[in-house]
Amino acid sequence: MKGVDVLLNKKFEKATTWLSYSYANNRYNFDTLEPSEFHNNLDVTHTLTAGVNYTWKQFDLSAGLNWHTGRPFTLPTTDNPITDGVINYQFPNEARIKDYIRIDTSILYNFKISEKIKALAGISFWNLLNRENHIRSFFTIDEDENLQQINNRALPFTPNAALRVFF
């Protein structure tokens, strides 16, 4: 495995920004298999995150971007995908799921309930654009002996609310 991580972070008077990038080359290497080298099942070669947080009076406003290349998966053969109830596959992990991209936002409000009790209330929106992100893909055989592709999805647009009390 080879890789590099870079993080840039800049603080201004009322804002904080960050940008991070990761490169990782995650490959399996098996001398006795053909092919002997192929992508790791969890290989995410490129990852980029960016964010900004702005403080205004008692409010914290934030936004972030998460992007990464899709994970690898193995496709069945096209000419004879099933033999005797078993899936015939092409070379391992040569296909990739579509790239993952997600934009999130949040707003927090800090306030006092009393002199000794503080609170924070907020709302956030995960996957603001409601993008359908697949995080895993694999194949199975259904009850009619047909090949079926299963795609596990990340959460769609997801609103959240929070209330935190400090005492």
Side-chain angles (χ1 to χ4, degrees):
M1 182 170 121
K2 296 175 186 171
V4 65
D5 291 318
V6 176
L7 172 64
L8 302 172
N9 188 338
K10 177 68 177 165
K11 209 170 205 181
F12 300 94
E13 185 177 325
K14 293 186 177 192
T16 302
T17 61
W18 66 93
L19 176 70
S20 71
Y21 170 75
S22 293
Y23 168 78
N25 184 1
N26 294 307
R27 296 180 71 83
Y28 287 129
N29 196 339
F30 298 101
D31 294 334
T32 58
L33 295 179
E34 179 59 39
S36 62
E37 187 176 316
F38 51 91
H39 292 284
N40 179 301
N41 294 343
L42 302 177
D43 177 51
V44 175
T45 308
H46 302 280
T47 303
L48 180 74
T49 59
V52 62
N53 182 69
Y54 182 78
T55 301
W56 176 69
K57 297 184 180 183
Q58 294 156 282
F59 293 94
D60 285 324
L61 303 128
S62 299
L65 167 74
N66 293 284
W67 168 85
H68 64 74
T69 51
R71 289 184 176 164
F73 69 102
T74 305
L75 291 169
T77 58
T78 54
D79 55 341
N80 189 21
I82 300 172
T83 303
D84 297 327
V86 176
I87 300 172
N88 297 314
Y89 288 101
Q90 297 178 24
F91 286 130
N93 292 339
E94 288 201 339
R96 285 210 177 251
I97 296 171
K98 188 175 169 185
D99 288 359
Y100 179 100
I101 190 164
R102 191 184 85 228
I103 296 174
D104 306 328
T105 61
S106 70
I107 184 167
L108 300 174
Y109 177 65
N110 296 289
F111 60 98
K112 286 184 178 181
I113 295 175
S114 71
E115 201 56 42
K116 293 184 179 181
I117 301 174
K118 296 178 183 178
L120 177 145
I123 57 171
S124 65
F125 303 101
W126 200 46
N127 195 3
L128 188 64
L129 303 178
N130 198 29
R131 184 171 174 1
E132 186 173 300
N133 287 307
H134 292 172
I135 54 176
R136 185 173 171 231
S137 186
F138 62 95
F139 294 86
T140 186
I141 301 171
D142 66 16
E143 63 239 12
D144 296 324
E145 297 292 316
N146 295 314
L147 191 63
Q148 182 179 9
Q149 184 172 3
I150 307 293
N151 292 309
N152 295 136
R153 294 185 314 230
L155 287 175
F157 171 75
T158 306
N160 294 286
L163 175 64
R164 188 179 293 173
V165 179
F166 304 92
F167 54 93

